[in-house]
Amino acid sequence: MAGLMTAAIRGDEAAYAEFLRLAAALVRGLARRKLANDRVVGPEDIVQEVLLAIHTKRHTWRSHEPILPWVFTITRYKIVDVYRRNGKRVFLDVDDFEAQLAAPETVEPALPERQVEAALTILSDGQRRVVKSIAIDGRSISETATALDMKETAVRVAFHRGLAAIAARFGRTT
Amino acid sequence: MKTEDLIDALKADNQRHRQPPGRVFAMALLASVLVAGAMLVFTMGLRPDFVAALGTVRFPFKFVVTIALAASAALVFSRALFPVASRRPHPALLLVAPVILLLGVVAELVALPPDAWAMSAQGKNAFHCLTVVPALGVVPLGLMLWSLRQGATTRPVLGGLCAGILAGGIAATFYAANCTDDSPLFVATWYPLAIGMLGLAGAALAPRIARW
């Protein structure tokens, strides 16, 4: 393997790929044994992390030193690193979960009736009827068209413009 | 992503090669000495009696201590750059300079009458020492942490500590050329505090900076 790496450093890409494949096999074996019961981190995650680390840090191997201890030291460091990061990620997940639990009460309260009425008053009569029919009464576009005796395209346009007007008036630009 | 695809991608990226960490470290060391030296010479300057003081015992002894400290830290640091290094020196090597200093302290205690001890230890430049040494050492510390990042350390706390002590050793060497307090009692009281600040800063920062 040291020979392959030496050739790789001289620019031999085939030797480099061969070296990486051998390293991957070694790390895979090691990772399977060490992480036998782990469901979050798969051995292949470790393999790829280690290959990346070998790649970015290949200038820290010196040709007079044995290469296997170098590969294994990087592997051990990366296993610890992956676990630490996963630990962090799980911890962050808990935070996200808490934010979602709190959300229905605080982040998106249902619009109070009066606020909706206020939003609708800025619209023209035609737009207001369409928006009210779709957004508040819950009718579909075609039902609204029938109820208001309009063409469906006209309903779509009025609905779209009405929402745009409300968004422009009440601050959201989408 | 499949591992085989990753290998193909890495293979294609094989042409870019980074500088060996040893060379990066050597450049950082050279730059540190130049920067710290320039900062001292162009601001405070050497002490006026620099040449005459070289003929004394106490003044050159300061350099023995600071240079020994910098050299031992450099040696430990240069091995901490690599994940694997044959002949890794024991970190206890860092104690060489403190032991030399301790011997100097004992000699000074014998040479001076007891009622002169406190004054020698306190000196006139304690505040100076505690501010100038860290100030001179900031750039070297940054350069050392940067070179630690270029390597692949598996012992970032030790590496960072050595980076700080090395930066402190360089800074203290130049500061000693300005300071007129030459007693080992002064050196043993204030230099470790000043250098220790840099060492602690290095040990605290390195695990973040030198992650890979």
Side-chain angles (χ1 to χ4, degrees), chain B:
Chain B
M1 189 183 203
K2 283 197 184 137
T3 300
E4 195 54 36
D5 296 339
L6 178 67
I7 290 176
D8 281 341
L10 298 182
K11 182 178 83 174
D13 189 45
N14 186 33
Q15 295 313 319
R16 283 187 306 132
H17 282 284
R18 295 229 230 134
Q19 294 280 326
R23 195 178 304 164
V24 172
F25 170 53
M27 290 184 331
L29 192 59
L30 183 67
S32 295
V33 171
L34 291 177
V35 169
M39 278 173 74
L40 181 94
V41 170
F42 292 121
T43 55
M44 305 162 63
L46 304 177
R47 55 193 268 183
D49 61 340
F50 181 82
V51 178
L54 283 175
T56 66
V57 177
R58 291 186 178 93
F59 183 63
F61 180 72
K62 294 198 292 186
F63 296 106
V64 172
V65 173
T66 59
I67 291 173
L69 184 69
S72 62
L75 204 62
V76 177
F77 181 79
S78 69
R79 296 299 190 276
L81 291 169
F82 298 93
V84 176
S86 48
R87 296 197 306 274
R88 220 189 262 276
H90 196 277
L93 188 68
L94 293 172
L95 295 176
V96 166
V99 167
I100 295 175
L101 179 56
L102 206 63
L103 295 176
V105 167
V106 171
E108 181 78 337
L109 292 178
V110 172
L112 288 183
D115 52 343
W117 289 354
M119 226 174 81
S120 291
Q122 203 175 344
K124 302 184 209 76
N125 300 303
F127 178 72
H128 230 184
C129 176
L130 288 182
T131 48
V132 173
V133 169
L136 293 179
V138 164
V139 172
L141 175 61
L143 287 166
M144 288 308 140
L145 290 176
W146 170 75
S147 73
L148 191 63
R149 186 185 167 85
Q150 307 303 308
T153 186
T154 53
R155 307 178 74 179
V157 175
L158 177 69
L161 181 71
C162 288
I165 292 177
L166 175 53
I170 293 169
T173 302
F174 286 108
Y175 172 72
N178 167 272
C179 180
T180 50
D181 285 312
D182 296 340
S183 168
L185 299 181
F186 179 88
V187 176
T189 307
W190 303 108
Y191 280 45
L193 279 177
I195 297 168
M197 286 186 230
L198 290 163
L200 284 180
L205 291 173
R208 284 163 179 269
I209 291 177
R211 268 191 73 185
W212 50 280

Side-chain angles (χ1 to χ4, degrees), chain A residues 44 48 55 57-59 81, chain B residues 1 3 13 16 151 211:
Chain A
E44 216 53 29
Q48 297 192 359
H55 181 68
K57 294 297 181 185
R58 64 197 191 282
H59 61 294
D81 187 53
Chain B
M1 189 183 203
T3 300
D13 189 45
R16 283 187 306 132
R211 268 191 73 185

Side-chain angles (χ1 to χ4, degrees), chain A residues 46-93:
Chain A
I46 301 285
V47 170
Q48 297 192 359
E49 286 280 344
V50 171
L51 290 185
L52 266 175
I54 284 177
H55 181 68
T56 54
K57 294 297 181 185
R58 64 197 191 282
H59 61 294
T60 66
W61 175 67
R62 290 172 293 179
S63 52
H64 63 272
E65 277 172 350
I67 197 150
L68 283 182
W70 181 78
V71 171
F72 284 137
T73 307
I74 288 179
T75 305
R76 195 175 51 198
Y77 181 84
K78 273 294 148 187
I79 288 178
V80 171
D81 187 53
V82 166
Y83 266 86
R84 194 170 42 193
R85 254 186 299 153
N86 269 286
K88 271 186 191 160
R89 199 179 297 153
V90 168
F91 180 69
L92 285 178
D93 278 350

